[in-house]
Amino acid sequence: MLTVVQAFDRAPIVEIESDDAAALERKLQAADRVFRDRDGWLKPHQRITILRKLAALMEGKRDHLAMQIAREGGKPLPDATVETNRAIDGVHNAADELRNFAGREIPMGLSTAAENRWAFTTKEPIGVVAAISAFNHPLNLIVHQVAPAIAVGCPVIVKPATTTPLSCRDFVALVREAGLPEHWCQTFVTEDNALAERLATDSRVAFLSFIGSARVGWSLHSKLAPGARSALEHGGAAPAIVDRSADLDKVIEPIVKGGYYHAGQVCVSTQRIFVHSDIADDFTQKLVTRVDKLRTADPTLKDTEVGPLILPREADRVGQWIEEAVKGGATLATGGKRLSETTLQPAVLLDPAADAKISMLEVFGPVVAVYRYRDLDDAIRQANALPTAFQASIFAQDIDVALRAADRLDASAVMINDPTAFRTDWMPFAGRRESGYGTGGIPYTMRDMTQEKMILMRRS
């Protein structure tokens, strides 16, 4: 049995059954069997109908789903409501994409050998999908992994994070209520890492969707069955550059949102802020003033802005990183105090050393670090110095500065005057280097979960 607790106060919510090796084998066999039966594949119009009904069912349980995110995941209720709305829209997005999801014509007649032929491609589902998800968006991440599989016709087995399985379980129940046969979408709940690896690397799995730590993701990637594809979504220490031309009255709010949304437990959370020396003092004063006003409390309350970390050990770790940075010469401008077993007061560190953990590794907590710079290219060099690369920001009113930074920052997306954590569910979302592999975003995942088949006709 698995005990699910509230992230904020560790109070038990419910006990649920976990799956063992025999359950995994049954589920893999069932998924493989329905995929091999081509006569049983659902037609596109049937999949669209299921997805539309699923979205309607989710709308009917919007408040329940949002509160569940807040309880098991610790995300403040206003943000959990936004996540639920995004998840509903994501299901619609997958259905909408099917209207234009098609193959292409391959030109023939370009040589004498290719005369009197017509060729085109169709898109086929790649096969069984194993989806291993993360706790920080326990509903919307599941949608990003499962809805594309449903849309293109892949059977999917989804393993939620053991800290947040309830959102996944409720979502899959709604999938079945919407009309998708059971074996096309199954959950796999386990605390056994060896079983999770067995799921990901089984020879019957054609696609691995993994969201989580880089260490685990790259290890699984190296063990995939021959021909299997993967999409890995890890994290980084996202940089934001604040130029002296930036409008400070408009900069602080997006930076605070980017740094402290879900207590910094976001793979593209703003962590390293490089501020031009001419405005560094004013920026720091405004930032600290705003951070001090953040309401850190029980995430189920409607006015909470920052909730807990997912586990007590994570609060321990983040607190240790702050202490180490201060011992190494950084100034703790505000925050860092332990408020509860899982909750930390949002913190701002000034000028930590280049080799401090906060400067090198993903903190995944409510902490940002501020560094002064004089030369833009030097700030860009520091921003690009890590082996991780995901999304980045430049805040500037000078268009030349903004475009120079956008061109030179090593990132899959550069936000101009928006936080590093900005995302819509239809845009490409991808880590570079150690931060990930493949491209997320519902339309992009749908493409990855299919393969093209060419059909050639010879005309007499």
Side-chain angles (χ1 to χ4, degrees), residues 362-395:
E362 181 182 29
V363 65
F364 225 59
V367 188
V368 301
V370 179
Y371 311 80
R372 294 171 181 256
Y373 76 88
R374 176 61 61 182
D375 178 73
L376 176 64
D377 287 346
D378 184 54
I380 293 171
R381 180 190 59 76
Q382 293 180 67
N384 292 343
L386 303 183
T388 53
F390 214 137
Q391 297 191 164
S393 291
I394 172 68
F395 291 87

Side-chain angles (χ1 to χ4, degrees), residues 241-459:
I241 297 174
V242 183
D243 180 60
R244 58 184 167 183
S245 69
D247 184 343
L248 289 187
D249 290 332
K250 296 179 180 179
V251 163
I252 299 301
E253 204 60 37
I255 282 185
V256 168
K257 189 64 176 178
Y260 301 99
Y261 169 70
H262 197 9
Q265 297 169 115
V266 180
C267 60
V268 287
S269 181
T270 304
Q271 181 172 326
R272 298 175 297 145
I273 307 171
F274 301 94
V275 185
H276 195 282
S277 297
D278 288 355
I279 60 167
D281 289 340
D282 286 346
F283 172 86
T284 300
Q285 181 180 5
K286 290 177 181 292
L287 175 65
V288 169
T289 298
R290 178 64 183 96
V291 171
D292 283 343
K293 294 178 181 177
L294 287 171
R295 294 183 295 277
T296 305
D298 184 337
T300 63
L301 302 177
K302 293 183 178 180
D303 63 348
T304 296
E305 293 177 288
V306 179
L309 295 172
I310 191 63
L311 290 168
R313 69 169 181 262
E314 291 302 303
D316 292 341
R317 177 187 58 80
V318 175
Q320 290 168 1
W321 284 25
I322 293 172
E323 291 178 10
E324 290 174 13
V326 171
K327 288 179 182 178
T331 299
L332 180 60
T334 191
K337 180 182 177 183
R338 190 71 167 262
L339 302 179
S340 77
E341 194 176 5
T342 54
T343 310
L344 286 172
Q345 183 183 9
V348 176
L349 287 166
L350 306 181
D351 295 308
D355 60 355
K357 288 177 181 174
I358 192 72
S359 299
M360 299 177 64
L361 305 173
E362 181 182 29
V363 65
F364 225 59
V367 188
V368 301
V370 179
Y371 311 80
R372 294 171 181 256
Y373 76 88
R374 176 61 61 182
D375 178 73
L376 176 64
D377 287 346
D378 184 54
I380 293 171
R381 180 190 59 76
Q382 293 180 67
N384 292 343
L386 303 183
T388 53
F390 214 137
Q391 297 191 164
S393 291
I394 172 68
F395 291 87
Q397 295 300 305
D398 186 327
I399 190 65
D400 290 335
V401 169
L403 293 181
R404 182 176 183 84
D407 182 58
R408 286 163 173 75
L409 281 166
D410 184 9
S412 60
V414 178
M415 313 302 172
I416 298 176
N417 295 323
D418 246 336
T420 60
F422 178 83
R423 183 183 185 184
T424 63
D425 299 287
W426 56 88
M427 74 186 222
F429 190 71
R432 290 184 174 181
R433 293 185 279 151
E434 290 184 10
S435 291
Y437 182 78
T439 303
I442 286 169
Y444 303 90
T445 300
M446 288 173 63
R447 293 171 204 172
D448 284 349
M449 288 181 178
T450 57
Q451 49 195 354
E452 283 193 320
K453 174 187 282 184
M454 191 185 78
I455 298 173
L456 185 141
M457 298 175 64
R458 184 175 182 176
R459 300 193 296 261

Side-chain angles (χ1 to χ4, degrees), residues 39-372:
D39 291 335
W41 287 8
L42 296 174
K43 301 295 188 289
H45 71 87
Q46 294 174 303
R47 288 179 254 136
I48 289 174
T49 297
I50 289 168
L51 290 166
R52 295 290 189 219
K53 185 173 181 181
L54 171 60
L57 291 170
M58 293 172 70
E59 287 174 358
K61 298 197 71 173
R62 188 192 311 266
D63 292 345
H64 164 78
L65 293 169
M67 183 59 73
Q68 188 136 273
I69 292 168
R71 293 183 71 198
E72 67 174 348
K75 179 175 289 184
L77 187 57
D79 295 326
T81 300
V82 171
E83 177 179 341
T84 303
N85 291 336
R86 283 180 57 188
I88 294 167
D89 186 62
V91 174
H92 280 299
N93 189 3
D96 291 341
E97 189 69 17
L98 279 174
R99 293 191 177 276
N100 298 296
F101 201 69
R104 57 200 171 97
E105 184 178 355
I106 306 298
M108 291 287 121
L110 303 180
S111 68
T112 55
E115 288 181 353
N116 298 319
R117 289 167 175 84
W118 176 46
F120 59 93
T121 67
T122 60
K123 287 183 179 289
E124 293 186 338
I126 191 172
V128 177
V129 171
I132 297 178
S133 206
F135 77 87
N136 53 334
H137 308 286
L139 178 62
N140 201 38
L141 291 182
I142 298 292
V143 166
H144 271 262
Q145 295 171 292
V146 173
I150 295 171
V152 302
C154 288
V156 56
I157 301 172
V158 56
K159 180 201 169 298
T162 54
T163 49
T164 55
L166 303 182
S167 295
C168 176
R169 192 177 65 165
D170 281 1
F171 174 75
V172 172
L174 293 176
V175 168
R176 295 191 182 149
E177 188 178 344
L180 188 71
E182 176 183 354
H183 295 152
W184 286 93
C185 183
Q186 304 173 87
T187 59
F188 181 66
V189 178
T190 183
E191 295 182 281
D192 188 330
N193 292 333
L195 283 183
E197 180 175 317
R198 190 182 304 180
L199 165 65
T201 59
D202 188 275
S203 61
R204 290 161 289 191
V205 169
F207 189 91
L208 169 66
S209 172
F210 178 87
I211 303 173
S213 79
R215 179 185 60 81
V216 175
W218 287 111
S219 174
L220 293 177
H221 179 79
S222 71
K223 299 174 183 177
L224 294 180
R229 296 181 191 167
S230 70
L232 311 178
E233 185 180 308
H234 305 316
I241 297 174
V242 183
D243 180 60
R244 58 184 167 183
S245 69
D247 184 343
L248 289 187
D249 290 332
K250 296 179 180 179
V251 163
I252 299 301
E253 204 60 37
I255 282 185
V256 168
K257 189 64 176 178
Y260 301 99
Y261 169 70
H262 197 9
Q265 297 169 115
V266 180
C267 60
V268 287
S269 181
T270 304
Q271 181 172 326
R272 298 175 297 145
I273 307 171
F274 301 94
V275 185
H276 195 282
S277 297
D278 288 355
I279 60 167
D281 289 340
D282 286 346
F283 172 86
T284 300
Q285 181 180 5
K286 290 177 181 292
L287 175 65
V288 169
T289 298
R290 178 64 183 96
V291 171
D292 283 343
K293 294 178 181 177
L294 287 171
R295 294 183 295 277
T296 305
D298 184 337
T300 63
L301 302 177
K302 293 183 178 180
D303 63 348
T304 296
E305 293 177 288
V306 179
L309 295 172
I310 191 63
L311 290 168
R313 69 169 181 262
E314 291 302 303
D316 292 341
R317 177 187 58 80
V318 175
Q320 290 168 1
W321 284 25
I322 293 172
E323 291 178 10
E324 290 174 13
V326 171
K327 288 179 182 178
T331 299
L332 180 60
T334 191
K337 180 182 177 183
R338 190 71 167 262
L339 302 179
S340 77
E341 194 176 5
T342 54
T343 310
L344 286 172
Q345 183 183 9
V348 176
L349 287 166
L350 306 181
D351 295 308
D355 60 355
K357 288 177 181 174
I358 192 72
S359 299
M360 299 177 64
L361 305 173
E362 181 182 29
V363 65
F364 225 59
V367 188
V368 301
V370 179
Y371 311 80
R372 294 171 181 256

